[in-house]
Amino acid sequence: DAVGESSQSVASEHLSEMLLAVMVLAFTAASGYAFGGAGVCVTPRMHAVSSRTALLSVVTSYAAEQTTSFTEFLNCFHGHFDNVAQVVSEREMGLTPREGGGHEHIHCHLQSLPFGSGEPCKVVLANYYFNGQPESIFRTRLYSMRVQTADRDFGDCIEMQIYRLRAEQEALLRAAGGDASAVQWGAADVSPGLLIPECEVYWSHSGDRFEGRMRADSITVQSPVLKKAVIVQDDVALSEKYLWCNDRGHDTEGNYVYGNIHGVPYKMDRVQWATCPNVDGDGSGSPSANPYSKK
């Protein structure tokens, strides 16, 4: 009858409001988002939400913030970076690479790959090479990035997974002079077999830059080049103006393998060029022939 239908309707509305309240509480716990202001009312008794519109508004605002931060990160995470200024300064102070306390001259070229605008993650190719010479590549990686909310260690962040390249892709890329747009990319390039396990980097917005760390202080990786286990430590920083990488490693017996012995990052500034003269020239360490040295 009409009374029964009315009672069912009221019960249904109460149930909907209770479910909505549970959704809000779950969202709050997961995201750490601060609720308050007009349209949202959480009472000690019911923890109820005043309207579905208010919840949608809060969730939409939160999602927009995450999207904006991710877009800002991607806008920074591209182009050419080089630590030539750091190297020139160190050579003038008599510091040489590796055991000499200084840094090698390295260049990083980041190129976004066309994996489709609808994909939840973005993929970037990273080429690292020595002495401002693109043919002197020492590392090539694919970075797959996606937004993470309420990570157990880093909260709202950007997760970056690291992949090795397939041999055929490396050959095609080499033949194309490092131009990622000349090579076809697809799901096979980010398959689980190419993922370097436990090397994920988690980026968080901090002031005017992004800072990235691995979940553990160090991890052990089997190096296909050195044919032995290497204990890796890494922390990074990114802004519109620079990319700093404090990537270092030693073997299981504590012997130095790579990186700066003092734990000083490779401070690569954003540059508008891909090549430059070798800072060390014939090995004398003289930077006099380098046109990019600081004056």
Side-chain angles (χ1 to χ4, degrees):
D1 57 9
V3 174
E5 291 179 357
S6 177
S7 297
Q8 290 178 356
S9 177
V10 170
S12 177
E13 288 185 13
H14 282 309
L15 180 59
S16 296
E17 293 300 331
M18 290 175 65
L19 290 174
L20 195 58
V22 170
M23 289 171 61
V24 172
L25 293 174
F27 179 80
T28 306
S31 66
Y33 197 90
F35 286 87
V40 179
C41 177
V42 181
T43 67
R45 181 179 180 184
M46 296 184 64
H47 296 281
V49 178
S50 64
S51 69
R52 292 173 178 81
T53 302
L55 174 61
L56 291 174
S57 175
V58 170
V59 173
T60 301
S61 175
Y62 174 78
E65 288 181 10
Q66 300 309 304
T67 300
T68 299
S69 181
F70 192 31
T71 300
E72 182 181 346
F73 175 86
L74 293 174
N75 287 340
C76 294
F77 200 67
H78 77 95
H80 291 273
F81 298 87
D82 198 290
N83 74 330
V84 64
Q86 178 185 42
V87 171
V88 167
S89 176
E90 290 178 345
R91 298 300 183 271
E92 290 173 347
M93 294 186 292
L95 298 176
T96 57
R98 298 177 61 81
E99 288 83 353
H103 293 78
E104 299 91 344
H105 177 197
I106 63 174
H107 189 105
C108 176
H109 184 199
L110 300 173
Q111 303 175 73
S112 298
L113 302 184
F115 267 64
S117 58
E119 295 294 327
C121 61
K122 301 297 181 182
V123 181
V124 171
L125 171 72
N127 275 333
Y128 296 87
Y129 50 87
F130 286 123
N131 302 320
Q133 307 302 308
E135 66 275 10
S136 300
I137 294 174
F138 67 89
R139 180 184 297 166
T140 305
R141 296 286 186 264
L142 288 184
Y143 298 143
S144 177
M145 292 156 291
R146 62 176 179 171
V147 173
Q148 289 278 55
T149 57
D151 180 86
R152 70 177 187 269
D153 294 320
F154 302 101
D156 297 337
C157 62
I158 297 167
E159 180 191 57
M160 184 173 80
Q161 295 180 308
I162 305 176
Y163 294 81
R164 292 190 173 94
L165 264 67
R166 294 184 290 151
E168 55 267 38
Q169 292 295 76
E170 287 202 58
L172 290 171
L173 192 63
R174 194 178 305 112
D179 182 5
S181 65
V183 179
Q184 289 190 337
W185 306 91
D189 295 303
V190 287
S191 64
L194 297 171
L195 177 67
I196 303 177
E198 300 181 355
C199 281
E200 291 84 0
V201 174
Y202 297 86
W203 296 87
S204 301
H205 209 166
S206 179
D208 61 351
R209 70 181 192 175
F210 293 86
E211 297 177 352
R213 291 178 53 200
M214 297 189 300
R215 193 175 296 282
D217 290 336
S218 65
I219 57 136
T220 302
V221 175
Q222 189 66 32
S223 171
V225 176
L226 301 176
K227 308 299 182 183
K228 66 177 181 179
V230 177
I231 299 173
V232 175
Q233 295 176 282
D234 193 17
D235 51 84
V236 285
L238 172 73
S239 76
E240 294 180 354
K241 298 180 179 180
Y242 59 78
L243 173 63
W244 290 4
C245 298
N246 194 10
D247 187 10
R248 59 240 188 248
H250 58 274
D251 64 21
T252 54
E253 297 178 352
N255 299 308
Y256 167 86
V257 175
Y258 69 89
N260 181 263
I261 61 172
H262 301 302
V264 177
Y266 290 80
K267 297 182 178 181
M268 294 178 283
D269 298 318
R270 184 179 295 280
V271 296
Q272 301 303 316
W273 37 266
T275 64
C276 76
N278 187 346
V279 173
D280 292 324
D282 59 1
S284 64
S286 172
S288 59
N290 181 13
Y292 304 108
S293 61
K294 287 185 175 180
K295 301 300 182 183

